[in-house]
Amino acid sequence: MTNCALVSLIRRIAERASSDRLAAMSVQPPSSTPTQTQSRTNRATVITLVVIAVILAVLAAVLLQNVASRRHQAAATSQASSSASDSAAAVPEPEPAPPVADQQTLELIHSEIHRDPADGQAKGKVDAPVVMVIYSDFACPFCTRFAQEVEPELDKLVKEGTLRVEWRDLAQITETSPLAAQAGRAAAKQGKFWEFHNAVYAAADPKDHPSYTEDSLVDFAKKAGVPDLKKFRTDMTATETVKAVTESTNHVHSIGIQGTPFMIVGETYINGYRDANYVTAVVKSQAAKAKEAKAATGAASPTSPAAPASAH
């Protein structure tokens, strides 16, 4: 074999070996170790991200809930403050007693208001714009409440000249109610009716119907400062005093008043006990109406004609 042939053979063998080696390399499966490691790393990263996302979502939800709760509380506080401010700015006054539209009833109300300067069972200016006529009983528990809770507020209106109060006996609650009314009239004869009235009601239980005796009533007269207790006892049991109390009670019944306390206030009335706020609101309402009526009457009065000019 020539050198050229040998060289050619060697080249073919080398090329074949190289081709076999390349083929072997091309069919050999790649190593799986790097790919599995990378896969596990990717999976751990995904899980971590998911956990972080969940935690962030939970935190966001908690924060949103706190913000919403604070806004709700702030809104509720603002609304409460606004309501309180509105209430403080405009406290609703009690609705005054309705006006009396019936002319016959109105005339009856006017007839019950006496404005007698010599009335020993009245207090306040005779020409006060509002007169309250109170029908009462010393044994009436609601009259006791009225005397203890309401009258101190009314006394302020009496002192300022807005209100005059006139007492009327409606002695019917207990067997000794007439005797107590007679004692009130006996005290009035010595100018001490309201002092006696205050002493009796101050000692009364507003949940009870007290009974009275001549001696207990004399004790009240003493506390009230009645100067002549002997005369007081005589006047209390005098025939004319007994008759006056009986006539008063009968008269009150005849005009349709059956219970105590009952109040005529200006040109309206209050049936039964009402608190001081209500009663004073009624008095002030009636005082305003009386002022308006007086102004209207003055405006409607004809002016005096001018004196004729003198002729020279």
Side-chain angles (χ1 to χ4, degrees):
M1 182 177 297
T2 64
N3 289 335
C4 292
L6 182 59
V7 172
S8 178
L9 178 62
I10 290 170
R11 285 178 176 176
R12 285 198 296 269
I13 292 170
E15 289 173 1
R16 186 179 296 173
S18 178
S19 298
D20 292 341
R21 188 165 53 250
L22 290 171
M25 289 178 65
S26 65
V27 298
Q28 183 178 1
S31 177
S32 62
T33 301
T35 303
Q36 289 175 356
T37 301
Q38 184 178 5
S39 176
R40 283 197 298 270
T41 302
N42 292 340
R43 188 161 51 250
T45 302
V46 171
I47 291 172
T48 301
L49 291 173
V50 170
V51 170
I52 292 172
V54 170
I55 292 172
L56 290 174
V58 171
L59 290 174
V62 171
L63 289 173
L64 287 173
Q65 184 177 4
N66 288 338
V67 170
S69 177
R70 288 176 182 175
R71 286 180 179 176
H72 177 72
Q73 291 177 357
T77 303
S78 176
Q79 183 177 3
S81 299
S82 177
S83 299
S85 298
D86 292 343
S87 298
V91 177
E93 293 188 359
E95 181 181 355
V100 175
D102 179 64
Q103 188 61 31
Q104 185 176 359
T105 303
L106 195 58
E107 290 176 359
L108 177 61
I109 286 174
H110 291 163
S111 70
E112 288 295 296
I113 296 172
H114 295 168
R115 294 186 184 270
D116 181 3
D119 187 352
Q121 292 179 291
K123 60 181 176 180
K125 293 170 59 178
V126 175
D127 60 348
V130 181
V131 175
M132 172 184 289
V133 182
I134 179 169
Y135 304 85
S136 195
D137 186 323
F138 284 114
C140 164
F142 284 104
C143 300
T144 299
R145 284 190 63 188
F146 188 87
Q148 293 177 355
E149 300 171 8
V150 181
E151 287 189 13
E153 296 301 317
L154 296 181
D155 283 341
K156 298 175 184 178
L157 298 173
V158 171
K159 290 178 181 178
E160 71 181 32
T162 301
L163 180 67
R164 174 178 173 84
V165 181
E166 299 180 355
W167 170 281
R168 302 285 187 272
D169 293 311
L170 180 49
Q172 61 181 8
I173 300 291
T174 68
E175 291 183 357
T176 59
S177 288
L179 181 63
Q182 293 161 209
R185 287 177 177 260
K189 288 185 176 181
Q190 298 188 50
K192 293 291 183 179
F193 171 76
W194 291 106
E195 291 82 357
F196 175 82
H197 160 282
N198 293 341
V200 172
Y201 277 130
D205 184 349
K207 297 180 180 179
D208 197 8
H209 302 85
S211 295
Y212 301 98
T213 64
E214 289 186 20
D215 289 340
S216 68
L217 292 167
V218 169
D219 288 340
F220 285 126
K222 184 177 181 179
K223 291 178 181 178
V226 174
D228 190 339
L229 295 179
K230 183 176 180 181
K231 182 178 186 305
F232 171 85
R233 187 185 289 270
T234 301
D235 290 338
M236 175 174 58
T237 57
T239 302
E240 61 270 20
T241 309
V242 174
K243 182 181 178 182
V245 169
T246 301
E247 289 179 347
S248 175
T249 299
N250 291 340
H251 167 73
V252 176
H253 286 160
S254 72
I255 61 175
I257 300 173
Q258 302 297 322
T260 53
F262 187 97
M263 283 86 50
I264 288 175
V265 186
E267 292 191 336
T268 188
Y269 59 87
I270 301 173
N271 185 8
Y273 172 85
R274 299 298 296 267
D275 65 24
N277 288 338
Y278 180 88
V279 178
T280 54
V282 173
V283 173
K284 291 178 180 179
S285 174
Q286 288 295 308
K289 290 180 179 178
K291 184 177 180 180
E292 291 174 2
K294 184 176 181 180
T297 302
S301 299
T303 57
S304 300
S310 300
H312 294 287

